[in-house]
Amino acid sequence: MLIAQLSDVHVGGARYRQELLHTAIAEINAAAPDIVVVAGDLTDDGYPDQYPLAFQELGKIACEHVVAVPGNHDARNVGYLRFEDTFGPRDTRLRLELQQLEVALVAVDSSKPDLDEGEIGREHYGWIQEGFQGEADLRVFVCHHHLMPIPGTGRERNQVLDAGDVLSLLRQCRVDLVLAGHRHVPYVWPVGGMLLVHSGTVSTQRTRGFSHPAYNLVRVENGRIDVELRIPGGEGSSLGDYPRDWPEEISARHADPFVRAQRDISLADDQD
Ligand SMILES: [Fe+2]
Ligand SMILES: [Fe+2]
């Protein structure tokens, strides 16, 4: 089972390079992935002229299952409405049978208009939980912003505001893979039974901490999850080859200590 993960396309931006996107899409098509995830920042500013161009370019991806979420750049002003008009719903839940694997995928818009910060929002938690309920061989969560800080990106900012609650939720939902973008630095964090896989920017020179445009190919096979970093037109290298199942003591999904906030108990009432 192969997932191609690209993000931070930034169509229309000053440092956008269309030829990089063409090269990356040609390589992705040649790899014939089962799913393609476009993890946000499809446009540079959410302008009306950028959306049709982004749609036209990303339309060249030859895959039956392409899942896209907006990023902070797409959502500016009413950009999130243009996203819906162009690409469809901002949130997606899918159940797919791919290469004999039952895959549950939940993709959520983590952007807020005109904020660079991300938030999943507690109003989404039940919906996410439902999406991962029941039997599945692989559970994949997609959003634009990062749930953990990424090395080489300067001082921490824009992280998902409710990252703690979301990490706990995803862990309890037995999520295997989290696919995100935003910081333009490819990186993998293995956390609490999950792999948080971040893609770089596929088609821009908005690169600092990692100096190449890049995307990821995530292979799930033979009990392993292998993440390959790809530079369009260049070499591939490994971002790690991980076990599909974590030791029970480390994943400890059944024993997450997160306690839901209780509305009826106040510390001020505790006289003892
Ligand atoms: Fe970006
Ligand atoms: Fe972003």
Side-chain angles (χ1 to χ4, degrees):
M1 224 281 287
L2 177 64
I3 304 172
Q5 175 193 9
L6 57 147
S7 68
D8 301 280
V9 189
H10 287 278
V11 168
R15 297 179 74 81
Y16 166 64
R17 300 289 179 265
Q18 191 182 51
E19 62 278 12
L20 285 171
L21 186 59
H22 288 177
T23 303
I25 290 177
E27 290 172 0
I28 287 168
N29 288 348
D34 299 287
I35 310 175
V36 176
V37 166
V38 189
D41 283 355
L42 283 57
T43 68
D44 196 53
D45 265 310
Y47 282 124
D49 57 313
Q50 293 175 348
Y51 269 110
L53 201 56
F55 185 73
Q56 186 189 321
E57 294 299 336
L58 294 169
K60 293 171 185 160
I61 296 171
C63 179
E64 196 183 336
H65 306 293
V66 179
V67 177
V69 290
N72 51 313
H73 281 258
D74 302 313
R76 288 176 178 169
N77 289 210
V78 291
Y80 67 100
L81 295 176
R82 297 193 197 287
F83 182 96
E84 287 176 347
D85 292 343
T86 313
F87 290 97
R90 291 176 288 119
D91 305 314
T92 309
R93 292 192 300 197
L94 284 179
R95 284 271 167 171
L96 301 166
E97 172 90 29
L98 300 168
Q99 314 287 344
Q100 280 105 47
L101 287 180
E102 166 103 18
V103 179
L105 183 146
V106 178
V108 172
D109 174 14
S110 58
S111 71
K112 305 286 164 198
D114 294 289
L115 293 181
D116 284 334
E117 284 79 14
E119 187 178 21
I120 300 301
R122 57 202 188 284
E123 65 277 14
H124 277 111
Y125 296 173
W127 191 83
I128 292 167
Q129 244 166 347
E130 254 177 47
F132 287 124
Q133 250 164 25
E135 289 303 306
D137 299 309
L138 186 77
R139 293 178 175 83
V140 183
F141 181 76
V142 179
C143 66
H144 175 60
H145 294 82
H146 50 302
L147 293 167
M148 293 279 291
I150 307 295
T153 58
R155 302 282 73 78
E156 184 47 37
R157 60 200 169 106
N158 305 167
Q159 187 177 5
V160 169
L161 291 169
D162 52 346
D165 291 351
V166 172
L167 282 167
S168 171
L169 174 77
L170 298 180
R171 191 187 196 198
Q172 291 175 67
C173 289
R174 298 189 292 151
V175 164
D176 301 286
L177 269 175
V178 177
L179 304 179
H182 184 61
R183 294 313 307 257
H184 300 193
V185 170
Y187 198 77
V188 179
W189 274 121
V191 175
M194 306 182 285
L195 286 184
L196 315 185
V197 182
H198 305 88
S199 42
T201 166
V202 65
S203 52
T204 80
Q205 289 175 329
R206 292 171 64 118
T207 51
R208 292 189 179 93
F210 180 76
S211 54
H212 301 281
Y215 63 95
N216 297 332
L217 294 177
V218 182
R219 287 185 187 82
V220 183
E221 55 193 5
N222 304 325
R224 312 282 300 179
I225 299 180
D226 171 67
V227 184
E228 183 187 1
L229 169 70
R230 302 278 325 180
I231 294 168
E235 295 296 304
S237 56
S238 178
L239 278 182
D241 181 12
Y242 304 87
R244 173 77 181 71
D245 293 311
W246 290 45
E248 188 64 17
E249 313 87 279
I250 295 176
S251 73
R253 288 158 161 159
H254 60 283
D256 192 294
F258 173 67
V259 178
R260 280 166 181 268
Q262 294 182 40
R263 293 191 190 90
D264 53 347
I265 295 176
S266 160
L267 289 178
D269 297 334
D270 187 1
Q271 301 300 320
D272 304 316

